[in-house]
Amino acid sequence: MVALKRAEAIEQAGGISHEFILEWMYRNSLTIEAAAAALGISTRMLAYYRSGEKPVPRTVALACRGWEAIKASRAAGDDRFVLAA
């Protein structure tokens, strides 16, 4: 309950909560290793973001959204982009 309130407070302040990373990984069935590779960051940094120990940078959130957009375009037959995971 405390983590949920903390996540809500972060989002209300314009930040990106650790819940965003957890949901992104779950939606895309990614392990921590695959998610870190897809984002181009270390598994240690991703673990910090997932746990809420460190704030999620906007660039990481944008990379998550971009990864999903490329995945969707590839599913539609557009193979111009390559995904890391």
Side-chain angles (χ1 to χ4, degrees):
M1 186 68 166
V2 172
L4 180 60
K5 289 185 182 218
R6 182 170 171 236
E8 287 176 2
I10 290 169
E11 289 172 0
Q12 287 176 355
I16 301 150
S17 78
H18 69 287
E19 295 286 329
F20 176 86
I21 296 290
L22 292 170
E23 290 168 5
W24 175 75
M25 289 177 65
Y26 179 77
R27 264 194 320 272
N28 295 288
S29 302
L30 295 170
T31 63
I32 192 164
E33 292 82 8
L39 298 173
I41 61 176
S42 69
T43 55
R44 168 64 72 194
M45 284 308 297
L46 185 56
Y48 285 142
Y49 301 149
R50 281 187 353 159
S51 70
E53 189 171 336
K54 293 194 181 273
V56 178
R58 188 167 306 278
T59 54
V60 171
L62 289 170
C64 293
R65 295 286 190 205
W67 190 90
E68 284 184 324
I70 291 170
K71 183 179 175 189
S73 71
R74 289 187 55 86
D78 182 357
D79 60 356
R80 293 179 291 169
F81 300 101
V82 177
L83 295 174

